[in-house]
Amino acid sequence: MSWLSLPQIKWFVPFPLLLAIAPVIWLFFRKTWRELDDEAFAYRRALHDRGEIDYRPLAALTLAALILTLHEYYGTWSFYHESIEPWLTARNKAHPGGLINIEAYNETYLRLWWAATRIGGYLLPFAVWKLMFRRDSLLDFGLRPTGFREHAWIYALCVAVMIPLMLIVKRQPDFGSYYPMYKLAGRSWFDFVLWETIYIAQFLGLEMFFRGWWIRATRVFGIGAIWSMVVPYCMIHYGKPYLEACAACVAGVILGSLSMKTRSIYAGFLVHGTVAILMDILSLDARGGLPVLLAPWSGRRIHFLYWHAVIWAAWTLALLVIALKAWHVWRARAAPPPPVQPQGATL
């Protein structure tokens, strides 16, 4: 697969794949999209009849633009190195041997700052929305667990498809060098667990922001609410591997459509989190950098010999969920129809 890393080939790869998968996505979600447009049309007509304007999209898109701008300018490594790192360095010099150890944990502090700014920004709309729209329930922004179990097979299908794809791309130079984003994740178990914890917490905030709050605050757009979210969602992947940024367009549409179909963001979060953790494991494994040391300050070693089993177990579990869904569908279709009750019959 080394040919895939050639720039003259790589730039073109997403286009035939997008053309191939687009009809499948349309067939799967066309009913959901139609329902969204019908609901939006009825909603807009009711607003028109009452002589009212829905200010939610205006407020949501303005707030989203401000949050994403703050992320770009104040939640990145450049701001950290210019403003946060000097303060930490000064504290470290003033209190040597204290809680701050800039030499050993500078990148750890950087990633903690990155996660804190991301999570804080993603959750900000939930903190201020009730101030602007008092009658709205925050639970309606995809935070209800309703529909999770019924549609779990769809998310299992996403995981079942993504794992083989990750096995293909894990040795691509850009993926291998980019993941994990925290370059010391393999230094110790402490680093690995800390990173994956804040990484997953960031994904929960991301799903709440993009697939929960955004597309429901702009539901007056109908199907356009999903695509209005996909554009900035793709753009936050700039700087990541090219193929991943392109895949974010598809992932945004699928996860956004599933969120509207199920009215919940939780299963999508589990897919996002599962894929992220497995990608980190695969990247560390490809360069022999999986954690062994218990902690940077400890000499104790813990050798985990079942990393590959974790990946295959996740894939097997996803396939099992899909198989159970297929079995239930088959049983429902094979069952005889209920007897027709004669007219006038009484029980």
Side-chain angles (χ1 to χ4, degrees):
M1 300 291 290
S2 58
W3 56 270
L4 191 58
S5 62
L6 298 175
Q8 60 269 32
I9 295 177
K10 181 185 291 187
W11 75 269
F12 179 72
V13 168
F15 297 101
L17 295 178
L18 289 174
L19 290 175
I21 199 173
V24 178
I25 297 174
W26 176 77
L27 286 171
F28 194 86
F29 290 115
R30 58 179 176 173
K31 182 179 178 181
T32 300
W33 295 345
R34 179 66 184 182
E35 291 172 354
L36 289 177
D37 264 1
D38 289 344
E39 291 175 6
F41 177 75
Y43 182 63
R44 289 194 301 269
R45 184 168 58 184
L47 287 173
H48 179 269
D49 292 343
R50 296 195 302 266
E52 298 177 359
I53 297 176
D54 185 4
Y55 290 101
R56 289 174 180 81
L58 184 152
L61 296 179
T62 301
L63 189 57
L66 291 173
I67 290 170
L68 295 176
T69 301
L70 288 170
H71 279 175
E72 181 64 25
Y73 286 92
Y74 293 96
T76 57
W77 65 268
S78 57
F79 178 81
Y80 171 83
H81 289 311
E82 292 171 2
S83 302
I84 307 299
E85 185 180 3
W87 180 82
L88 291 174
T89 301
R91 295 286 297 177
N92 190 181
K93 290 181 178 179
H95 305 280
L99 294 177
I100 298 175
N101 186 338
I102 197 71
E103 294 183 359
Y105 300 107
N106 191 30
E107 189 181 350
T108 308
Y109 302 144
L110 165 62
R111 292 304 169 188
L112 287 170
W113 172 255
W114 171 83
T117 56
R118 289 300 184 276
I119 295 170
Y122 290 147
L123 297 184
L124 180 61
F126 295 88
V128 303
W129 195 254
K130 293 286 285 187
L131 299 177
M132 297 180 285
F133 305 98
R134 295 182 181 275
R135 291 182 294 177
D136 289 1
S137 172
L138 297 182
L139 292 177
D140 290 335
F141 293 131
L143 301 185
R144 301 184 189 276
T146 306
F148 176 85
R149 183 175 179 181
E150 178 186 356
H151 300 94
W153 71 273
I154 303 175
Y155 298 94
L157 179 62
C158 295
V159 173
V161 171
M162 285 303 301
I163 288 179
L165 292 177
M166 289 190 296
L167 292 172
I168 293 174
V169 304
K170 72 172 184 176
R171 295 191 180 276
Q172 292 298 307
D174 50 356
F175 279 91
S177 61
Y178 188 85
Y179 290 104
M181 292 171 59
Y182 177 46
K183 300 310 176 188
L184 299 178
R187 177 174 63 175
S188 69
W189 283 98
F190 171 82
D191 290 285
F192 181 80
V193 172
L194 175 64
W195 166 243
E196 298 303 335
T197 299
I198 63 175
Y199 197 30
I200 295 305
Q202 178 267 158
F203 277 122
L204 178 58
L206 182 149
E207 291 295 329
M208 292 172 63
F209 180 80
F210 283 107
R211 254 74 74 175
W213 168 74
W214 187 308
I215 56 180
R216 286 167 178 80
T218 60
R219 65 185 184 277
V220 70
F221 295 163
I223 188 177
I226 296 174
W227 265 260
S228 75
M229 171 273 296
V230 169
V231 174
Y233 177 67
C234 175
M235 294 175 70
I236 67 170
H237 288 75
Y238 291 173
K240 294 187 176 185
Y242 168 70
L243 294 178
E244 180 179 353
C246 293
C249 298
V250 178
V253 171
I254 292 175
L255 293 176
S257 300
L258 286 174
S259 175
M260 295 304 286
K261 182 180 180 68
T262 64
R263 310 294 176 176
S264 173
I265 58 97
Y266 295 116
F269 156 67
L270 291 178
V271 170
H272 217 156
T274 300
V275 170
I277 292 176
L278 294 181
M279 191 69 235
D280 280 356
I281 292 174
L282 287 170
S283 297
L284 288 171
D285 181 54
R287 57 177 181 264
L290 288 165
V292 174
L293 199 64
L294 178 62
W297 61 84
S298 171
R300 184 179 178 184
R301 296 175 177 270
I302 300 177
H303 294 269
F304 184 69
L305 305 178
Y306 306 103
W307 290 106
H308 292 172
V310 170
I311 297 169
W312 291 116
W315 195 51
T316 302
L317 180 60
L319 294 176
L320 179 60
V321 172
I322 297 170
L324 287 173
K325 175 63 177 180
W327 180 67
H328 283 299
V329 171
W330 176 81
R331 283 192 62 188
R333 292 183 176 179
V340 179
Q341 192 75 16
Q343 291 186 358
T346 58
L347 297 177

